[in-house]
Amino acid sequence: MNKSIIKTITSDSERTGNVLEVKHLTVEFKKNKQPFYAVNDVSFDVKEGEILGLAGESGCGKSTLSRSILGIQKKGVSGEIKHFYKRPQMVFQDPAGSLNPSKTIEFILKEPITVKGNFSGEEKDRRVREMLKMVDLSEELLTRYPHELSGGQRQRICIAAALMQEPRFLIADEPVSALDVTVQSQILDLLKRLHKELNLSILFISHDLRVIFNLCDRVMIMKSGKIVEMGDKEEIYFSPKQEYTKELMDAGRTKYMVSESKSEKNIK
Ligand SMILES: Nc1ncnc2c1ncn2[C@@H]1O[C@H](COP(=O)(O)OP(=O)(O)OP(=O)(O)O)[C@@H](O)[C@H]1O
Ligand SMILES: [Mg+2]
């Protein structure tokens, strides 16, 4: 990335009520030597304390957008990105691939605060135990390696590792897509709980609108690198303006999920 496009503003006097502000973000790749815009002039904010959903079909640019927001994608990125808290973190789609197979769970959890931060050994141990409790896992897992865990346990470890540095903003890029349905709903419940307990703002990415409607406050719909629709969850569900949004909703048979989550009252 062109580092200068990411600014981190942490003084209280400059707070705007958002954890993230993105303006005119564009990511240019080359396809057959021609410019190709994986993200094309995208602007949006993530408000303090909200879960914002980002939905769109495979290849529309969701991961490229999230990688640029965190500065992981560097090349071809232009626009303006403002973070209002330090250490924003990301949870990736594939829990197996994002954990180092040769390291124990204890090492993986301690690593983020070993690299950054000035913690004593005792503090690190305490924080690891707290985090495991937070994601409902037993301390017995500490001596194990990632391949010795179930998919759901691995994703809980990824979430715990992302939270070790106490971020206020988390990007979850398809965090449940690789999991079976029962485990998916457990991880979604965990994210809802962490969102509340840790006052965590989340940009939650999925190609599945059912999952987005179940979890999020507001929704953005992305198509071919552009945000084509954005609004409150209920607004998008009851009066989608774009044909593409309707197609995504039809594809996911979202009706059941929304009526179910509305009657639940406790959708956040
Ligand atoms: N490093 C890269 N170089 C060239 N093209 C890329 C690169 N990374 C992504 N792309 C292209 O950019 C487009 C967007 O990809 P991206 O991975 O962001 O989509 P996505 O919405 O996350 O898809 P999925 O739902 O499958 O994860 C795709 O056409 C992809 O092939
Ligand atoms: Mg992706």
Side-chain angles (χ1 to χ4, degrees):
M1 169 206 53
N2 175 357
K3 263 233 160 188
S4 61
I5 76 161
I6 297 190
K7 291 199 170 63
T8 304
I9 297 154
T10 52
S11 77
D12 282 345
S13 62
E14 289 179 271
R15 294 213 176 282
T16 59
N18 297 320
V19 294
L20 173 76
E21 295 178 1
V22 173
K23 289 197 176 63
H24 307 297
L25 184 67
T26 296
V27 184
E28 181 186 328
F29 294 127
K30 292 271 186 286
K31 239 183 200 172
N32 304 324
K33 296 191 180 165
Q34 295 299 312
F36 160 75
Y37 298 99
V39 177
N40 195 344
D41 195 15
V42 163
S43 300
F44 67 96
D45 301 330
V46 180
K47 296 176 189 165
E48 296 236 16
E50 81 168 340
I51 306 185
L52 175 63
L54 172 62
E57 66 196 350
S58 181
C60 72
K62 304 179 298 295
S63 294
T64 306
L65 173 66
S66 46
R67 287 201 311 270
S68 340
I69 289 171
L70 293 194
I72 303 166
Q73 173 67 41
K74 294 176 166 56
K75 222 174 144 198
V77 181
S78 61
E80 209 181 291
I81 297 165
K82 276 188 196 164
H83 286 279
F84 290 84
Y85 290 96
K86 286 181 189 161
R87 302 180 296 275
Q89 296 292 314
M90 187 149 163
V91 174
F92 296 89
Q93 174 167 356
D94 172 14
S98 54
L99 295 174
N100 186 336
S102 66
K103 302 292 182 193
T104 62
I105 299 306
E106 180 168 8
F107 181 95
I108 289 168
L109 288 178
K110 283 183 180 170
E111 196 177 27
I113 54 172
T114 303
V115 178
K116 284 186 183 145
N118 196 11
F119 297 91
S120 69
E122 210 173 286
E123 281 167 334
K124 281 191 229 169
D125 285 337
R126 184 178 50 77
R127 187 114 190 89
V128 163
R129 285 198 301 275
E130 276 173 12
M131 230 40 256
L132 277 177
K133 204 167 166 207
M134 192 72 94
V135 298
D136 288 329
L137 288 178
S138 151
E139 288 179 31
E140 283 168 27
L141 300 188
L142 285 175
T143 53
R144 295 205 204 161
Y145 290 86
H147 73 272
E148 296 173 315
L149 271 54
S150 71
Q153 286 173 327
R154 278 196 289 263
Q155 195 54 299
R156 283 172 197 267
I157 292 295
C158 290
I159 293 169
L163 297 178
M164 283 301 286
Q165 292 185 62
E166 303 185 309
R168 289 287 299 276
F169 174 47
L170 181 76
I171 299 183
D173 185 3
E174 310 245 17
V176 296
S177 305
L179 304 172
D180 74 42
V181 176
T182 324
V183 183
Q184 273 193 8
S185 74
Q186 290 166 1
I187 297 291
L188 292 176
D189 285 345
L190 172 66
L191 283 171
K192 282 183 204 178
R193 182 163 64 71
L194 294 172
H195 157 68
K196 274 192 193 150
E197 286 179 8
L198 303 176
N199 195 16
L200 192 64
S201 306
I202 303 176
L203 175 61
F204 183 89
I205 298 172
S206 177
H207 59 272
D208 186 345
L209 262 173
R210 285 176 303 175
V211 173
I212 295 262
F213 280 126
N214 181 269
L215 189 73
C216 303
D217 306 302
R218 287 194 304 142
V219 179
M220 294 194 294
I221 308 289
M222 191 168 189
K223 184 185 182 199
S224 307
K226 286 191 171 288
I227 301 297
V228 293
E229 183 150 14
M230 187 177 342
D232 289 341
K233 166 170 67 178
E234 312 274 317
E235 191 184 317
I236 301 272
Y237 174 69
F238 287 109
S239 44
K241 293 184 181 57
Q242 298 290 327
E243 205 49 46
Y244 178 66
T245 308
K246 291 177 201 163
E247 282 167 24
L248 278 183
M249 287 168 71
D250 288 345
R253 298 195 311 278
T254 50
K255 193 169 181 174
Y256 167 72
M257 292 298 289
V258 170
S259 52
E260 183 187 53
S261 67
K262 273 186 84 164
S263 65
E264 240 180 57
K265 291 243 185 290
N266 186 16
I267 28 186
K268 280 201 242 172

